[in-house]
Amino acid sequence: DIVMTQGALPNPVPSGESASITCQSSKSLLHSNGKTYLNWYLQRPGQSPQLLIYWMSTRASGVSDRFSGSGSGTDFTLKISSVEAEDVGVYYCQQFLEYPLTFGSGTKLEIK
Amino acid sequence: EVQLQQSGAELGKPGTSVKLSCKVSGYNIRSTYMHWVNQRPGKGLEWIGRIDPANGNTIYAEKFKSKATLTADTSSNTAYMQLSQLKSDDTAIYFCAMIYDGYWFAYWGQGTLVTVSS
């Protein structure tokens, strides 16, 4: 199974500052078609997860441009520029390259 | 608008089974795969498995192969997950999720809380 390892944030993050969340996969998520099968989700308190980023760097419809994804085949970063109160929650990376699908353990974002 | 509506909270006794449902509106489930994910109290997301409603083909995470059974009824556009031989460790929120136009969960149900207690 592909293991996804997420880093922690130095919470709380001051409102208006940027925050970067890291995710590392135990296997390259770069497919031969040139796409990287890495997704990011945000789960706000008491809610279902929602898609933020797919193909490692493509924002989902309706997602603020304050969110950006980047990385290589095994190391990924979700950057939130100018964090706001509505960004509070737990962020998960997920690999969709192969079954079983796996998620990172989650990174909690708190705002000061 | 695509919506996934899950069934209500369940209280199951140890050793029994429960069957959860996920009704999809706004999209034909024959054109997608339906996935199930769980979240134990205070923990992260864990993928259980997926079903292709068009033909009933399933794939499960190893640890759920004898725990979960995924089915789908295309006539009612509903996916189901049965959890058997319930243990306290099965207490969790169970989400259904749907891919739409790529390899990501574009839509999620609201979750069903399953509590296992005698």
Side-chain angles (χ1 to χ4, degrees):
Chain A
D1 299 1
I2 298 177
V3 177
M4 307 297 291
T5 303
Q6 290 187 230
L9 281 172
N11 284 315
V13 177
S15 180
E17 296 285 300
S18 66
S20 291
I21 300 170
T22 60
C23 172
Q24 190 172 53
S25 59
S26 61
K27 176 180 177 178
S28 175
L29 303 184
L30 177 60
H31 193 275
S32 56
N33 64 10
K35 301 287 190 181
T36 301
Y37 285 58
L38 185 281
N39 306 319
W40 288 99
Y41 301 87
L42 163 61
Q43 186 176 30
R44 295 189 172 101
Q47 295 187 17
S48 304
Q50 66 176 88
L51 178 69
L52 294 176
I53 301 282
Y54 59 91
W55 292 149
M56 184 179 71
S57 59
T58 303
R59 271 189 304 276
S61 175
V63 173
S64 169
D65 60 6
R66 295 186 297 104
F67 292 88
S68 62
S70 63
S72 63
T74 58
D75 293 274
F76 312 99
T77 301
L78 174 70
K79 182 176 180 181
I80 313 167
S81 63
S82 188
V83 298
E84 301 177 358
E86 67 177 19
D87 302 334
V88 164
V90 181
Y91 292 80
Y92 295 93
C93 58
Q94 177 207 37
Q95 66 82 16
F96 221 113
L97 181 69
E98 61 186 41
Y99 290 111
L101 304 184
T102 47
F103 292 90
S105 57
T107 300
K108 190 172 186 178
L109 171 63
E110 299 172 341
I111 306 291
K112 180 164 59 177
Chain B
E1 181 190 7
V2 178
Q3 292 188 331
L4 280 60
Q5 182 64 41
Q6 296 188 236
S7 48
E10 298 272 2
L11 174 61
K13 295 187 185 306
T16 65
S17 299
V18 293
K19 190 170 185 177
L20 314 183
S21 67
C22 174
K23 183 171 178 60
V24 178
S25 59
Y27 196 75
N28 190 332
I29 65 171
R30 293 179 64 90
S31 301
T32 187
Y33 293 160
M34 296 299 297
H35 294 252
W36 292 83
V37 172
N38 80 353
Q39 186 168 41
R40 292 186 170 86
K43 302 298 184 183
L45 304 172
E46 184 176 31
W47 182 77
I48 296 170
R50 73 95 168 129
I51 184 168
D52 179 352
N55 56 28
N57 286 347
T58 53
I59 299 176
Y60 296 92
E62 188 66 34
K63 68 178 291 187
F64 290 102
K65 282 185 177 177
S66 57
K67 171 63 62 180
T69 302
L70 304 185
T71 57
D73 178 1
T74 55
S75 66
S76 63
N77 226 37
T78 303
Y80 298 92
M81 178 173 67
Q82 179 164 311
L83 299 170
S84 62
Q85 290 297 311
L86 291 174
K87 305 175 184 177
S88 59
D89 190 44
D90 296 320
T91 294
I93 297 174
Y94 292 84
F95 296 99
C96 58
M98 193 184 94
I99 64 173
Y100 181 67
D101 53 359
Y103 298 92
W104 49 86
F105 295 154
Y107 299 97
W108 294 73
Q110 82 276 23
T112 295
L113 174 63
V114 174
T115 303
V116 181
S117 174
S118 54

